[in-house]
Amino acid sequence: MAPTLPHSLPAAAEKQQYVTISALESGQLTLPERLFVTDADPEKKATVPSMAFLVRHPSPGANGRSTTNLVFDLGIKRDVTKYMPAMQTHISNRQPTIHHPDTADSLRKGGLDPANDIDIVMLSHVHWDHVGTPEDFTGSQFVVGSGTIHLLEHGAPPHYPKEIFDPDMLPRDRTKELPPVGKSTTAFSSQTTQKWEPLASFPAALDFFGDGSIYVIDTPGHLFGHVNLLCRIGPNKWIYLGGDCCHDYRILTGEKDIALYDDGHGELRSVHVDTDAAKQSVGHIKTLMPGGELLADGVNKVEVIVAHDGGWREKNKDRFFPGTV
Ligand SMILES: [Zn+2]
């Protein structure tokens, strides 16, 4: 009997649907390296993008469009005064920040109207540099990970006090929170139920359109409700949108590890709410990377893109909308 690979990605269906992805310029912020990676230069800071992504699925969208358009993350708000006052104080420690073009500008540049042409906005998580300006997306259904609404209403003290979140940030009548792992939900495109299932090395994934084209990956650790997207863009070709699974690509290659620093209360913390869970999530993603066990079959090609990867942005200018990844 031939050995079964432990973590194979699902094979394409007979009439497999594929999605088209474009990166979106969505602002920039400045991160001190010592908070993010081990063995950092204590003085070094890097101004990095907070990228969003347009994912187009070949199913009819609203207003007669031939595609269903999903935007993953919204980056940084163009108007910093629209953040809660306590959050503006935090943002003053992340300077310089760049607020233009924002996600809406980037969509318009490629010919899409944020108010009418985006069916779904999915947020990897609700940190300030990912939530952007939801008010621009007046026709969209919002999708967030489990626990996000509780977090927006109550915060997660001590590191994430209630005051930094805007409980009214998302239009509640157009927001769907994904169920916790173990619970089922109604599928996006039909009334069938779907539930989190293991996928490749990931303990829990949701087949978002029910056709194997986009999997929402439960990626605990960074913040409550943190999710990633694994997207099928061609035969055996995949893009993994990693959100804030890490802030520095060298953590995925193993050159660096997650930094720990004094939390101001005599304890060590990281930029993740649960460092051990974040490490586990990174471990699962690593199996998709060159040299990872998943790719031992030599068939699947997976590109992992994280939101703040300035190196990726520099090398891939032509893959920003209207260009494609
Ligand atoms: Zn974050």
Side-chain angles (χ1 to χ4, degrees):
M1 201 170 89
T4 324
L5 283 165
H7 296 314
S8 291
L9 283 170
E14 199 170 320
K15 286 184 179 159
Q16 181 62 53
Q17 304 277 28
Y18 298 103
V19 296
T20 306
I21 302 183
S22 301
L24 298 166
E25 294 282 10
S26 300
Q28 300 192 35
L29 72 163
T30 302
L31 302 178
E33 194 176 79
R34 66 181 176 84
L35 300 185
F36 294 90
V37 293
T38 46
D39 304 316
D41 174 344
E43 304 299 328
K44 192 172 172 195
K45 292 181 173 191
T47 300
V48 297
S50 195
M51 292 183 282
F53 296 87
L54 169 67
V55 182
R56 284 173 284 179
H57 181 267
S59 56
N63 305 322
R65 270 177 285 105
S66 60
T67 58
T68 298
N69 296 337
L70 180 154
V71 172
F72 185 64
D73 276 348
L74 295 178
I76 293 175
K77 286 186 195 298
R78 61 181 169 275
D79 182 353
V80 75
T81 68
K82 296 279 167 62
Y83 285 108
M84 301 305 266
M87 187 47 83
Q88 291 181 43
T89 306
H90 169 80
I91 295 169
S92 67
N93 297 317
R94 292 287 177 267
Q95 297 300 313
T97 52
I98 295 174
H99 300 261
H100 301 277
D102 71 349
T103 305
D105 295 331
S106 296
L107 289 166
R108 283 188 207 103
K109 187 181 158 204
L112 290 181
D113 171 9
N116 291 306
D117 293 334
I118 304 303
D119 300 281
I120 304 154
V121 172
M122 189 183 295
L123 300 178
S124 66
H125 65 299
V126 291
H127 275 152
W128 69 277
D129 50 333
H130 295 258
V131 299
T133 308
E135 308 88 273
D136 292 337
F137 297 84
T138 49
S140 308
Q141 166 84 46
F142 286 75
V143 178
V144 291
S146 175
T148 297
I149 290 169
H150 185 274
L151 179 64
L152 288 174
E153 289 175 350
H154 303 280
H159 299 318
Y160 295 109
K162 184 179 168 156
E163 291 72 29
I164 64 173
F165 295 103
D166 177 359
D168 301 319
M169 185 189 86
L170 296 173
R172 211 52 73 82
D173 57 333
R174 286 185 286 123
T175 299
K176 174 178 176 164
E177 182 172 292
L178 296 172
V181 169
K183 293 260 166 64
S184 55
T185 183
T186 310
F188 178 77
S189 50
S190 69
Q191 289 308 305
T192 55
T193 31
Q194 57 179 184
K195 59 182 200 303
W196 296 99
E197 312 245 22
L199 179 88
S201 51
F202 301 103
L206 268 184
D207 183 356
F208 192 67
F209 285 105
D211 61 5
S213 61
I214 297 181
Y215 294 94
V216 183
I217 308 290
D218 178 55
T219 40
H222 178 57
L223 188 65
F224 305 103
H226 187 247
V227 291
N228 290 170
L229 278 191
L230 178 62
C231 304
R232 203 191 281 267
I233 61 166
N236 306 315
K237 277 184 78 178
W238 302 78
I239 297 285
Y240 187 91
L241 301 176
D244 277 2
C245 68
C246 67
H247 298 65
D248 190 308
Y249 198 77
R250 292 171 297 176
I251 289 174
L252 287 170
T253 61
E255 288 166 75
K256 293 281 187 186
D257 205 345
I258 298 168
L260 295 175
Y261 55 92
D262 193 315
D263 71 349
H265 305 275
E267 305 276 338
L268 284 177
R269 64 161 296 190
S270 76
V271 293
H272 306 292
V273 286
D274 182 337
T275 307
D276 290 338
K279 278 191 182 177
Q280 274 190 14
S281 289
V282 164
H284 297 140
I285 297 165
K286 274 181 165 176
T287 66
L288 304 171
M289 308 276 297
E293 60 185 296
L294 176 61
L295 303 185
D297 63 4
V299 173
N300 288 295
K301 189 167 178 291
V302 186
E303 182 176 6
V304 179
I305 310 172
V306 296
H308 301 302
D309 190 350
W312 188 91
R313 175 178 172 272
E314 282 304 311
K315 284 188 243 114
N316 292 284
K317 291 274 164 84
D318 58 329
R319 299 166 88 191
F320 281 78
F321 194 50
T324 57
V325 166

